[in-house]
Amino acid sequence: MELDETDKKLLLFLQEDCKQTTKELSGKLGLSVTAVYERVKKLENAGVISKYVALLDRNKIHRNFIVLCHVKLIQHKKEFVLQFEKEVMNLEEVTECFHVSGDYDYILKIGVRDIEDYRSFMLTKLTTLQHIASTHSSFMISEVKNTTAIIL
């Protein structure tokens, strides 16, 4: 789908605050409410907008200890990869999982309460997954940038 400049502006506004009404958006874009509604529906139907979410403050929900955990599998066999990916999907502490190139096979972003909570997660959940050869954990010192917005 080819996006015009109005679509790009609309998407930027929605990424900033998706709870804006079509009336508010129409004022910002200089379009009718109907035109904005139709553009949003078109973007949703095309899959450009995949879903709407609420972003939570990690500090207020006590999930502000962030760990990047590099995981290496014992082998790159298809069945091992698929099983690991299926199992990691069920770990609620893991908010992101990337299959990567390099020395490790995956990078997991994990949010827990504190170091003790992370230790418990490692011992009772992550290390119980099959086919893991090794892990390497890095702990967040401070958050420099955190955005979900994609600038077009």
Side-chain angles (χ1 to χ4, degrees):
M1 172 179 185
E2 199 63 37
L3 302 174
D4 64 19
E5 287 306 310
T6 303
D7 288 332
K8 291 176 184 179
K9 287 179 187 175
L10 175 57
L11 290 169
L12 184 61
F13 292 142
L14 288 172
Q15 288 181 100
E16 289 171 358
D17 179 7
C18 69
K19 289 188 77 171
Q20 295 176 80
T21 65
T22 51
K23 183 176 181 180
E24 291 170 322
L25 292 166
S26 70
K28 291 178 179 181
L29 294 168
L31 298 173
S32 70
V33 172
T34 303
V36 170
Y37 176 82
E38 289 173 356
R39 279 182 182 262
V40 170
K41 284 296 166 201
K42 177 185 74 169
L43 293 165
E44 290 171 347
N45 292 335
V48 175
I49 298 172
S50 59
K51 66 177 162 178
Y52 298 93
V53 299
L55 300 177
L56 306 181
D57 183 328
R58 286 193 304 266
N59 292 310
K60 293 186 178 178
I61 60 166
H62 307 291
R63 288 283 183 99
N64 56 331
F65 191 79
I66 304 301
V67 182
L68 296 178
C69 181
H70 296 69
V71 176
K72 185 182 292 189
L73 299 182
I74 56 174
Q75 286 185 332
H76 296 116
K77 292 171 67 172
K78 181 179 179 180
E79 63 204 62
F80 291 3
V81 167
L82 294 177
Q83 182 174 0
F84 175 81
E85 290 177 359
K86 179 182 175 192
E87 291 175 350
V88 83
M89 294 294 289
N90 295 320
L91 300 175
E92 64 187 33
E93 296 87 351
V94 176
T95 57
E96 297 178 59
C97 175
F98 303 98
H99 193 181
V100 297
S101 63
D103 292 337
Y104 288 89
D105 301 311
Y106 292 90
I107 299 176
L108 309 179
K109 182 177 177 184
I110 301 164
V112 290
R113 183 177 298 269
D114 52 30
I115 190 74
E116 291 83 15
D117 203 18
Y118 182 63
R119 181 178 190 278
S120 175
F121 167 78
M122 286 292 291
L123 293 175
T124 63
K125 294 182 180 182
L126 188 61
T127 58
T128 65
L129 301 184
Q130 294 182 30
H131 315 304
I132 293 179
S134 65
T135 63
H136 175 85
S137 300
S138 300
F139 307 104
M140 180 181 77
I141 295 170
S142 70
E143 187 171 82
V144 177
K145 180 177 181 179
N146 180 353
T147 182
T148 59
I150 299 171
I151 306 301
L152 305 171

